[in-house]
């Protein structure tokens, strides 16, 4: 937001006029008031949001927050036609009810669409599972009756799954805390060849991998620091193939807290269908009095320069209603 002061000379009286320019307009500068952040887009405490668009509607799949140690036991879904107004689609997967192999620590889900079905990937008791449904709002059913990725299978924690489906229909699974693990999924979307796993650790990588493709370039994004750390932030690397090799961007984090915004990270990205218009969804410490166990979900515009570099995200920029082309 840009604030410009003009002095108007009136007989006997000098008046200062403040002109507010909406963020994102030509010539606008970054918001300088860092004490008044835009409100969260979801009511209450939700974290690790994964956003997707299906059939001209946006969906957010978050972690239910608010318990020390992240002891949540179920997942919900939220839908919107404009990125501003969100409807609670209720619980779509309940661990004690729907799983036989995990009961709590329901974290960091992701979703992908293929074969006419919706595949929902999630962390549960530090394993990764997959559930399937015919609709993006579920109800989802455990696809395997066991984890897709078991705790201890690789170094680090087996959490934070994300699946990217390429233009040719091939799907790739990314996951892991401590290291980023990558592997091509089988066509059934619920299996893979474990001997083909590629494990990397980009400088600064901690968790929350997310992959998207723009203009032939693959972007691998991740969160740095710990989610309880106010410095929690998002960086990225690029490659010419979905499994890399990836080169980290020379610039610093593209998403980080500032002012009253703390711990901005564990994000996902969505493109408006039919447009080169992008938004980043992430959590921050709840305002006020939030911390790493009480986080809230936010959305900000995400932009690129002429060379495809991601520009720094302004966490104080308000999102206007977005229309999906019909």
């Amino acid at each position: 937001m840009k604030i410009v002061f003009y002095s108007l000379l009136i007989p006997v009286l000098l008046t200062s006029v403040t002109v507010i320019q909406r963020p994102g307009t030509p010539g606008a500068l970054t918001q300088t008031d860092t004490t008044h952040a835009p409100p969260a887009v979801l009511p209450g405490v939700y974290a690790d949001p994964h956003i997707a668009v299906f059939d001209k509607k946006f969906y957010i799949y978050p972690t239910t927050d608010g318990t020390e140690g992240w002891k949540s036991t179920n997942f919900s879904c939220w839908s919107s036609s404009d990125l501003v107004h969100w409807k609670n689609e209720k619980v779509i997967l309940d661990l004690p009810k729907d799983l036989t192999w995990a009961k709590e620590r329901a974290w960091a889900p992701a979703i992908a669409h293929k074969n006419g079905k919706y595949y929902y990937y999630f962390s549960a008791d530090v394993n990764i599972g997959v559930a399937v449904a015919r609709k993006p709002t579920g109800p989802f059913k455990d696809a395997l009756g066991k984890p897709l990725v078991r705790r201890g299978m690789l170094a680090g924690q087996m959490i934070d799954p994300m699946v990217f489906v390429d233009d040719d229909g091939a799907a790739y699974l990314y996951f892991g805390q401590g290291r980023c693990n990558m592997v091509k999924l089988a066509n059934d979307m619920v299996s893979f060849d474990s001997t083909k796993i590629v494990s990397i650790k980009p400088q600064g990588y901690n968790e929350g991998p997310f992959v998207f493709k723009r203009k032939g370039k693959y972007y691998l994004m991740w969160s740095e620091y710990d989610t309880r750390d106010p410095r929690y932030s998002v960086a990225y690397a690029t490659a010419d193939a979905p499994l890399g090799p990836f080169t980290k961007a020379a610039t610093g984090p593209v998403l980080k807290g500032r002012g009253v915004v703390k711990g901005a990270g564990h994000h996902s990205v969505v493109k408006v269908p039919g447009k080169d218009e992008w938004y980043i969804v992430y959590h921050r410490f709840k305002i006020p009095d939030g911390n790493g166990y009480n986080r809230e979900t936010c959305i900000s515009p995400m932009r690129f320069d002429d060379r495809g570099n991601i520009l720094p995200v302004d966490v104080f920029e308000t999102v206007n209603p977005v229309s999906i082309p019909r």
Side-chain angles (χ1 to χ4, degrees), residues 30-43:
T30 301
Q31 165 69 270
T32 56
D33 178 5
T34 62
T35 62
H36 297 89
V41 296
L42 302 184

Side-chain angles (χ1 to χ4, degrees), residues 3-322:
I3 301 178
V4 183
F5 294 93
Y6 296 90
S7 294
L8 303 181
L9 185 60
I10 301 175
V12 189
L13 179 65
L14 185 65
T15 303
S16 292
V17 177
T18 301
V19 177
I20 308 285
Q21 187 174 32
R22 184 177 66 83
T25 58
L29 297 179
T30 301
Q31 165 69 270
T32 56
D33 178 5
T34 62
T35 62
H36 297 89
V41 296
L42 302 184
V45 284
Y46 293 94
D48 313 326
H50 180 97
I51 191 168
V53 58
F54 303 119
D55 298 326
K56 302 189 184 304
K57 185 174 283 190
F58 299 102
Y59 296 88
I60 289 179
Y61 303 86
T63 296
T64 303
D65 219 18
T67 57
E68 188 166 348
W70 309 290
K71 297 290 188 178
S72 57
T73 61
N74 60 57
F75 293 103
S76 64
C77 170
W78 299 73
S79 65
S80 173
S81 59
D82 63 3
L83 285 183
V84 174
H85 304 94
W86 291 88
K87 175 186 176 183
N88 189 349
E89 299 287 355
K90 309 301 182 184
V91 172
I92 59 172
L93 187 70
D94 182 89
L95 269 54
K97 177 182 174 183
D98 298 326
L99 300 186
T100 59
W101 50 270
K103 302 302 179 185
E104 63 179 10
R105 290 189 280 184
W107 304 341
I111 194 168
H113 181 244
K114 188 177 175 180
N115 305 327
K117 299 177 182 179
Y118 296 88
Y119 296 88
Y120 187 72
Y121 303 85
F122 57 93
S123 309
D125 271 344
V126 199
N127 304 273
I128 292 173
V130 57
V132 65
R134 290 289 181 180
K135 300 188 298 181
T137 54
F140 286 87
K141 301 298 182 183
D142 186 9
L144 298 173
K146 61 181 181 180
L148 173 64
V149 180
R150 288 193 176 276
R151 181 197 307 209
M153 178 179 175
L154 301 167
Q157 294 190 81
M158 302 298 96
I159 60 173
D160 298 355
M162 186 273 165
V163 169
F164 166 74
V165 181
D166 209 346
D167 299 331
D168 62 0
Y172 300 85
L173 172 66
Y174 304 81
F175 63 95
Q177 186 273 336
R179 297 187 67 85
C180 180
N181 306 295
M182 311 177 289
V183 67
K184 186 177 181 179
L185 286 169
N187 191 57
D188 62 9
M189 298 291 282
V190 298
S191 64
F192 58 85
D193 182 347
S194 62
T195 68
K196 302 295 186 182
I197 295 174
V198 177
S199 184
I200 63 174
K201 186 175 178 60
Q203 182 181 5
Y205 179 92
N206 183 39
E207 60 190 9
F210 188 89
V211 171
F212 69 94
K213 185 179 182 181
R214 178 181 183 266
K215 297 186 176 181
K217 182 182 295 186
Y218 297 85
Y219 293 75
L220 168 64
M221 306 180 76
W222 63 82
S223 292
E224 302 189 336
Y225 297 100
D226 184 86
T227 191
R228 293 163 290 189
D229 191 325
R231 297 173 297 173
Y232 200 54
S233 51
V234 171
Y236 78 98
T238 57
D240 295 324
L243 296 179
F246 286 93
T247 301
K248 186 175 181 180
T251 56
V254 292
L255 174 71
K256 63 179 180 179
R258 186 162 54 90
V260 72
V261 175
K262 308 292 185 184
H266 204 125
H267 75 299
S268 57
V269 167
V270 68
K271 176 183 178 292
V272 179
K275 302 179 180 179
D276 187 28
E277 183 177 342
W278 298 77
Y279 292 86
I280 185 167
V281 184
Y282 55 96
H283 70 238
R284 70 188 182 200
F285 288 4
K286 185 179 182 296
I287 300 174
D289 305 324
N291 54 33
Y293 301 110
N294 292 278
R295 302 161 294 178
E296 57 191 4
T297 293
C298 304
I299 301 178
S300 297
M302 191 178 82
R303 301 182 178 90
F304 302 82
D305 67 15
D306 292 340
R307 296 197 294 178
N309 299 308
I310 302 175
L311 296 173
V313 174
D314 184 358
V315 294
F316 289 87
E317 182 174 353
T318 301
V319 171
N320 295 316
V322 173

